[in-house]
C-alpha cells in the first residue's frame, strides 16, 4: 500500500509515468521536463493542473529532491506487477488529464472520470460510482439477454411450426396429386371405354346396314338380269317367222314379277350417337372453353334470326310493387303496391318470363333504365318466398344463375357464391343460352359488344328467364322483327 502511494506521488500528471528529469513550476506542481515543454508548445505556458501562468523570462529548474528519490526508487528491488487488471477502467486506471484514479462514471458523457473531472468538466453532469453503474448495466444486459433468449425460443417454435406446415403441405400435395391422377386415370379409362363402345356400336350398325344394302343390291341385280332375259326372249320371238311357233311360245312367256319399292336402309346418326353427342358437347364446353375456367367470358357469337327470342314478362309472377306495360314487355318497380299478394307471385322484388327453355340455342336482350338490376335464369322450383335478409334469390342457390349489375361492378352469382367483375357503362344487355353445350353467357351491348361472364353447367331442367330490380328501376324486353314470338315447342321452348 505504501509503495502504491509513493508511486502515485512520483507520477507525472501528463504522461502518467514516473518522473523523468522532474522540474518544479512556481505553483509547486511537478512534471517531467520533456512533458511540460511539449505541453507548453501545444497549450500555452500554464500549469496543466491549476492553470497558473508561467512567468515570462523564468526558467525551468530541476527538482533535485525528487530526482534523488527517483534514483532510490529505481535502485530498489523489482516489484511484482501483479495480475493484469484486464480491460476497462479498474483500480489502476487513471485519468489521462489529471492523473487521478477513475472512480466515477459520467452518464451524461458516457465515460469514466476522476474526482477532479467531477469538480471541473462534469460538475453539472449525472454521475455514478463505477460499481453502481456496472450493476445497473449488468441488470440491463441480463434483461436484454432474457429477451433475446425468449425471441430465440419463439423463433425456434415458429421454425418447427413452419417445418410442420411444410411437411403437411407436401403430404397434402402428394395426396391431392395421387387423387387427381386416380380420378383422371378413371376418367380417361371411362372415356376410352365410351370411345371403344361407341366405335364398336357404329361398326356393328354399319355392318348390319351394309349387309342390308348388299341384300338389296343382289335383289335389284337379280331383277335386272330377269328383265334382261325376258327382253332377249321377246326379241327372239319378234324375229320368229313361223306363226305357229310364235303364238305357242308367246303364250308361255311370263314377264318378271314387280320390282317393288326400294327398302330404306336403317341408318340414323342421332340414334347411333344416342346421348353421347350431348354428353361430349357438354364435356367439351366445360374443358375446352376459352379461358380454362367456368367464368371465362365466351367470344361473341354470330346469332341467326332463329336464335333471337321475343319474350314477355309473366304477370302472375310479378311482385306486387311491379307495374307491367307495353303488352308485358316492360316492368317498373314502383313504391306503391299494385295489388294484394296471390299464389305464384314473388314476395321478392322479382319477375320471370312466360317462356322457358329446355333445349336448343336461345338469345334475348333487355334494356335497364339504371344499375342495381339482376338478370338470370332459374329452374321451376325457384322459391317465391323471401328467405333471409336478401331482396332477391337469383343465384343464391343451386337452381339459378344470375348477373347482378351494380354502379361500379358486376357480380356473377350461383349457388351462393359470387364472382366480382369490373363494371360496365352500357344499359343494353344480352343473354345467350346454349343448352346443348351447357353455356349461359351475358353480354354488354353498349357502347360496344363485349362478353361479361359465362356459366357452364349441365342444365337438366327447363330454364326460365328471371329478373330483379331496385325501386325506381325499369326493365324492357327488347323485341326484333322476324324473331320467334313466342318460341315454339319444336325449337326446344316450352310455353
Amino acid at each position: 500500500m505504501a509503495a502504491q502511494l509513493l508511486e502515485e506521488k512520483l507520477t507525472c500528471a501528463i504522461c502518467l509515468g514516473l518522473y523523468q528529469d522532474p522540474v518544479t513550476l512556481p505553483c509547486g506542481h511537478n512534471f517531467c521536463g520533456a512533458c511540460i515543454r511539449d505541453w507548453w508548445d501545444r497549450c500555452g505556458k500554464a500549469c496543466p493542473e491549476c492553470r497558473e501562468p508561467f512567468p515570462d523570462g523564468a526558467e525551468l529548474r530541476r527538482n533535485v529532491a525528487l530526482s534523488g528519490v527517483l534514483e532510490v526508487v529505481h535502485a530498489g528491488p523489482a516489484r511484482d506487477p501483479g495480475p493484469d487488471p484486464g480491460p476497462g477502467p479498474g483500480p489502476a486506471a487513471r485519468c489521462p488529464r489529471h492523473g487521478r484514479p477513475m472512480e466515477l462514471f459520467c452518464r451524461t458523457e458516457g465515460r469514466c472520470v476522476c474526482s477532479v473531472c467531477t469538480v471541473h468538466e462534469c460538475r453539472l453532469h449525472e454521475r455514478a460510482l463505477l460499481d453502481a453503474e456496472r450493476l445497473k448495466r449488468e441488470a440491463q444486459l441480463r434483461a436484454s439477454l432474457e429477451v433475446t433468449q425468449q425471441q430465440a425460443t419463439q423463433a425456434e417454435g415458429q421454425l418447427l411450426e413452419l417445418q410442420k406446415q411444410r411437411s403437411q403441405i407436401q403430404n397434402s400435395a402428394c395426396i391431392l396429386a395421387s387423387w387427381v391422377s386416380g380420378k383422371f386415370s378413371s376418367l380417361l379409362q371411362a372415356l376410352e371405354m365410351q370411345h371403344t363402345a361407341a366405335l364398336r356400336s357404329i361398326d356393328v350398325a354399319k355392318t348390319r346396314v351394309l349387309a342390308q344394302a348388299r341384300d338389296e343390291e343382289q335383289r335389284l341385280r337379280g331383277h335386272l338380269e330377269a328383265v334382261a332375259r325376258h327382253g332377249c326372249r321377246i326379241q327372239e320371238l319378234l324375229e320368229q317367222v313361223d306363226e305357229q311357233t310364235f303364238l305357242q311360245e308367246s303364250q308361255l312367256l311370263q314377264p318378271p314379277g314387280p320390282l317393288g319399292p326400294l327398302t330404306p336402309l336403317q341408318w340414323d346418326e342421332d340414334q347411333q350417337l344416342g346421348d353421347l353427342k350431348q354428353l361430349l358437347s357438354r364435356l367439351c364446353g366445360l374443358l375446352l372453353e376459352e379461358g380454362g375456367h367456368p367464368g371465362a367470358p365466351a367470344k361473341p357469337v354470330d346469332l341467326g334470326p332463329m336464335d333471337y327470342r321475343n319474350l314477355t314478362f309473366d304477370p302472375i309472377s310479378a311482385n306486387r310493387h311491379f307495374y307491367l306495360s307495353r303488352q308485358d314487355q316492360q316492368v317498373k318497380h314502383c313504391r306503391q303496391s299494385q295489388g294484394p299478394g296471390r299464389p305464384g307471385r314473388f314476395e321478392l322484388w322479382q319477375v320471370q318470363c312466360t317462356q322457358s327453355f329446355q333445349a336448343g340455342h336461345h338469345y334475348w336482350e333487355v334494356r335497364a333504365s339504371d344499375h342495381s338490376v339482376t338478370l338470370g335464369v332459374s329452374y321451376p322450383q325457384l322459391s317465391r318466398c323471401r328467405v333471409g335478409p336478401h331482396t332477391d334469390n337469383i343465384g343464391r342457390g343451386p337452381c339459378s344463375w344470375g348477373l347482378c349489375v351494380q354502379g361500379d361492378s358486376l357480380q356473377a352469382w350461383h349457388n351462393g357464391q359470387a364472382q366480382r367483375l369490373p363494371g360496365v357503362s352500357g344499359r343494353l344487355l344480352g343473354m345467350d343460352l346454349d343448352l346443348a353445350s351447357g353455356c349461359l353467357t351475358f353480354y354488354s351491348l353498349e357502347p360496344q359488344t363485349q362478353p361479361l361472364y359465362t356459366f357452364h353447367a349441365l342444365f337438366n331442367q327447363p330454364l326460365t328467364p328471371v329478373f330483379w330490380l331496385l325501386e325506381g328501376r325499369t326493365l324492357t324486353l327488347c323485341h326484333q322483327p322476324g324473331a320467334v314470338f313466342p318460341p315454339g315447342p319444336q325449337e326446344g321452348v316450352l310455353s
Side-chain angles (χ1 to χ4, degrees):
M1 185 65 179
Q4 183 178 354
L5 293 175
L6 179 61
E7 184 176 342
E8 291 180 3
K9 297 298 182 182
L10 299 178
T11 300
C12 174
I14 297 177
C15 67
L16 300 181
L18 295 178
Y19 289 122
Q20 300 290 332
D21 189 18
V23 295
T24 303
L25 301 185
C27 61
H29 292 118
N30 302 305
F31 302 95
C32 297
C35 292
I36 192 61
R37 291 186 181 91
D38 180 66
W39 177 276
W40 284 351
D41 291 340
R42 292 183 291 106
C43 303
K45 285 190 174 184
C47 177
E49 292 197 23
C50 65
R51 308 300 180 184
E52 181 179 334
F54 187 77
D56 293 335
E59 295 182 359
L60 288 173
R61 295 186 177 274
R62 182 170 178 268
N63 190 318
V64 179
L66 279 179
S67 298
V69 173
L70 287 169
E71 291 177 0
V72 174
V73 170
H74 288 304
R79 298 182 294 108
D80 184 9
D84 185 8
R94 293 182 177 274
C95 179
R97 300 185 59 185
H98 307 108
R100 303 279 183 173
M102 292 188 289
E103 301 173 344
L104 301 172
F105 182 79
C106 179
R107 292 177 175 171
T108 304
E109 296 185 3
R111 65 185 181 92
C112 298
V113 296
C114 67
S115 58
V116 178
C117 293
T118 61
V119 175
H120 295 89
E121 294 88 350
C122 305
R123 181 169 58 86
L124 300 178
H125 294 174
E126 181 181 1
R127 303 179 298 272
L129 294 175
L130 293 181
D131 293 343
E133 186 65 20
R134 180 181 177 89
L135 292 175
K136 178 182 177 181
R137 295 293 179 90
E138 287 179 351
Q140 293 176 349
L141 292 176
R142 288 190 180 93
S144 177
L145 179 61
E146 183 178 355
V147 171
T148 55
Q149 289 176 346
Q150 292 176 354
Q151 292 177 351
T153 302
Q154 183 181 6
E156 291 175 354
Q158 292 179 354
L159 180 60
L160 291 176
E161 180 65 23
L162 179 62
Q163 293 174 347
K164 180 180 177 182
Q165 292 179 1
R166 184 177 63 182
S167 177
Q168 292 176 347
I169 291 173
Q170 290 175 344
N171 294 335
S172 176
C174 291
I175 294 174
L176 287 177
S178 176
W179 183 85
V180 170
S181 298
K183 290 297 182 182
F184 270 92
S185 297
S186 301
L187 178 61
L188 292 175
Q189 184 178 3
L191 289 175
E192 186 63 30
M193 292 174 61
Q194 288 282 353
H195 179 209
T196 304
L199 293 181
R200 185 185 301 112
S201 175
I202 292 173
D203 189 64
V204 170
K206 179 192 71 173
T207 303
R208 183 179 64 253
V209 173
L210 292 181
Q212 180 186 358
R214 285 194 298 270
D215 294 341
E216 191 71 7
E217 182 181 1
Q218 291 177 1
R219 182 182 69 84
L220 293 174
R221 290 185 182 279
H223 188 79
L224 286 174
E225 292 176 357
V227 169
R229 289 192 301 269
H230 183 71
C232 291
R233 184 57 182 158
I234 291 175
Q235 188 65 33
E236 292 175 354
L237 290 175
L238 292 175
E239 295 176 356
Q240 180 61 250
V241 295
D242 184 32
E243 286 78 1
Q244 183 179 358
T245 302
F246 173 80
L247 294 174
Q248 290 178 348
E249 292 186 1
S250 62
Q251 291 178 352
L252 300 175
L253 184 64
Q254 296 293 332
L259 176 63
L262 180 66
T263 303
L265 300 180
Q266 301 298 320
W267 178 260
D268 187 349
E269 292 183 356
D270 293 335
Q271 182 179 1
Q272 298 303 322
L273 293 178
D275 296 334
L276 184 62
K277 183 177 180 180
Q278 186 176 8
L279 175 63
L280 292 178
S281 177
R282 292 176 177 177
L283 185 60
C284 291
L286 290 175
L287 298 181
L288 304 181
E289 187 71 28
E290 180 183 2
H293 56 85
K299 292 182 178 180
V301 292
D302 186 12
L303 297 168
M306 295 301 295
D307 295 322
Y308 196 98
R309 306 303 180 197
N310 290 337
L311 306 180
T312 56
F313 292 115
D314 180 15
I316 298 177
S317 67
N319 180 272
R320 60 192 183 93
H321 289 277
F322 284 4
Y323 175 74
L324 272 60
S325 60
R326 297 186 182 180
Q327 298 180 341
D328 297 335
Q329 298 175 29
Q330 187 176 87
V331 60
K332 182 176 182 180
H333 187 167
C334 303
R335 180 183 296 272
Q336 184 178 0
S337 174
Q338 304 299 313
R342 60 173 177 262
R345 185 189 291 273
F346 277 109
E347 293 182 6
L348 303 152
W349 295 342
Q350 294 177 186
V351 62
Q352 69 179 24
C353 286
T354 304
Q355 299 77 19
S356 61
F357 312 100
Q358 191 170 18
H361 191 186
H362 315 279
Y363 175 81
W364 61 94
E365 295 176 358
V366 60
R367 181 174 292 277
S369 62
D370 204 344
H371 59 79
S372 300
V373 297
T374 300
L375 295 72
V377 295
S378 72
Y379 289 153
Q381 63 265 32
L382 183 66
S383 175
R384 299 293 197 268
C385 301
R386 178 171 180 172
V387 179
H390 301 292
T391 57
D392 76 302
N393 61 357
I394 304 175
R396 305 288 181 177
C399 65
S400 59
W401 296 258
L403 184 75
C404 180
V405 182
Q406 300 294 339
D408 57 348
S409 67
L410 303 172
Q411 291 182 357
W413 280 90
H414 175 62
N415 202 19
Q417 302 294 324
Q419 176 70 36
R420 189 177 180 87
L421 307 168
V424 293
S425 58
R427 295 289 175 259
L428 182 61
L429 301 168
M431 297 178 63
D432 178 66
L433 177 61
D434 189 350
L435 290 162
S437 62
C439 295
L440 172 63
T441 303
F442 295 86
Y443 293 91
S444 173
L445 306 177
E446 291 180 346
Q448 59 185 5
T449 301
Q450 61 175 354
L452 301 176
Y453 193 83
T454 298
F455 288 104
H456 297 280
L458 299 176
F459 301 117
N460 53 19
Q461 298 183 47
L463 290 171
T464 304
V466 61
F467 307 90
W468 172 90
L469 56 157
L470 193 65
E471 182 180 335
R473 304 302 192 262
T474 300
L475 284 178
T476 303
L477 292 169
C478 301
H479 285 191
Q480 285 191 2
V484 180
F485 176 72
Q490 70 276 12
E491 296 170 337
V493 181
L494 300 179
S495 299

